[in-house]
């Protein structure tokens, strides 16, 4: 049930296809269902999922320009973030973490909380985020988790280190058709001034999207 609710939220937060990048009617419905489930079954992972959705949704107003272009997290105007949703999400994830019987949704919520509480991208506690991804990789290993962990490592240790981790993830083959993997590689190459490689990876990412 938690997986289905989060799939609905994820499709609203970042639509898989179509003209719209987000679908707020889906994120709103997923949060409504999350609240209902947390009232009926107030277990740590249910609370963790609700926290995760609230913290991610709190950035919705800052995630797109008036032209419809997406704005990356590090470039968002954080004054537009929904502080009520952040406060509720942080309180919920702290409650779930105190139970010591949480799972992957709570860990993802904890990562989102670190982002939400940072005053700017520059002061984000990437060491804590990497530590949380290390724990997440232990309890829910997946190529996508490893990719996200690689990006966090890049933000902590620099793009050259991050690129090596991303290339290792791509070498396994599971994310060969995942546009965000190629986009992440492109960003690392761009930061390193390797423009031809960045362009090639961006083109791969664009070819794999359905928006």
């Amino acid at each position: 049930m938690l997986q289905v609710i989060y799939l609905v939220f994820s499709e609203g937060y970042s639509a898989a296809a179509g003209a719209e990048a987000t679908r707020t009617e889906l994120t709103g419905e997923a949060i409504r269902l999350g609240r209902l489930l947390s009232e009926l079954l107030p277990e740590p992972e249910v609370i963790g999922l609700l926290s995760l959705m609230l913290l991610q949704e709190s950035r919705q107003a800052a995630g797109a320009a008036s032209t419809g272009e997406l704005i990356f997290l590090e470039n968002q105007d954080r004054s537009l973030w929904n502080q009520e949703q952040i406060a509720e999400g942080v309180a919920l994830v702290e409650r779930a973490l105190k139970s010591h019987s949480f799972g992957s949704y709570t860990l993802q919520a904890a990562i989102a909380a670190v982002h939400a509480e940072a005053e700017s991208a520059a002061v984000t506690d990437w060491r804590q985020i990497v530590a949380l991804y290390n724990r997440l990789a232990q309890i829910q290993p997946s190529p996508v988790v490893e990719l996200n962990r690689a990006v966090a490592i890049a933000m902590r240790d620099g793009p050259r280190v991050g690129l090596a981790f991303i290339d290792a993830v791509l070498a396994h083959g599971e994310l060969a058709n995942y546009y965000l993997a190629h986009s992440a590689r492109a960003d690392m190459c761009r930061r390193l001034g390797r423009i031809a490689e960045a362009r090639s990876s961006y083109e791969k990412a664009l070819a794999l999207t359905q928006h």
Side-chain angles (χ1 to χ4, degrees):
M1 187 177 296
L2 296 182
Q3 186 177 23
V4 170
I5 292 174
Y6 192 51
L7 283 171
V8 172
F9 178 86
S10 297
E11 178 60 24
Y13 185 74
S14 180
E20 300 296 329
T22 60
R23 297 180 60 187
T24 55
E25 76 277 11
L26 291 182
T27 56
E29 177 63 10
I31 289 173
R32 186 189 72 83
L33 292 173
R35 289 191 187 281
L36 179 61
L37 188 58
S38 67
E39 292 174 4
L40 297 172
L41 193 68
E43 295 183 356
E45 212 36 5
V46 178
I47 295 169
L49 174 59
L50 178 57
S51 169
L52 173 61
M53 294 190 294
L54 287 168
L55 289 166
Q56 290 183 330
E57 182 68 2
S58 71
R59 303 193 295 262
Q60 190 273 334
S66 58
T67 57
E69 295 180 11
L70 295 178
I71 301 175
F72 292 123
L73 179 63
E74 64 181 309
N75 298 321
Q76 290 180 11
D77 180 354
R78 299 188 178 212
S79 68
L80 298 176
W81 289 3
N82 188 313
Q83 295 302 316
E84 290 185 4
Q85 288 181 323
I86 289 173
E88 183 181 4
V90 169
L92 287 169
V93 73
E94 289 176 349
R95 177 180 164 192
L97 288 169
K98 287 178 181 178
S99 72
H100 299 290
S101 60
F102 51 83
S104 62
Y105 292 120
T106 299
L107 285 171
Q108 291 176 73
I111 292 167
V114 176
H115 285 296
E117 293 185 311
E119 294 183 359
S120 68
V123 299
T124 302
D125 189 348
W126 289 105
R127 290 184 181 277
Q128 186 177 358
I129 290 176
V130 171
L132 288 165
Y133 270 121
N134 288 341
R135 181 75 181 274
L136 182 59
Q138 291 176 343
I139 68 171
Q140 190 186 53
S142 77
V144 172
V145 170
E146 287 299 328
L147 175 65
N148 292 337
R149 176 176 171 272
V151 172
I153 289 172
M155 299 305 292
R156 183 191 66 181
D157 299 336
R160 192 175 304 279
V161 175
L163 180 60
F165 277 94
I166 291 171
D167 282 342
V169 172
L170 283 168
H172 284 97
E174 296 97 333
L175 299 184
N177 296 319
Y178 186 50
Y179 75 96
L180 289 177
H182 297 287
S183 178
R185 187 182 194 281
D187 187 53
M188 294 302 118
C189 290
R190 178 188 63 80
R191 292 171 188 265
L192 290 167
R194 293 159 59 168
I195 304 305
E197 285 185 72
R199 181 181 294 111
S200 176
S201 291
Y202 277 130
E203 288 173 349
K204 287 180 182 178
L206 285 168
L208 291 168
T209 62
Q210 298 181 55
H211 284 170

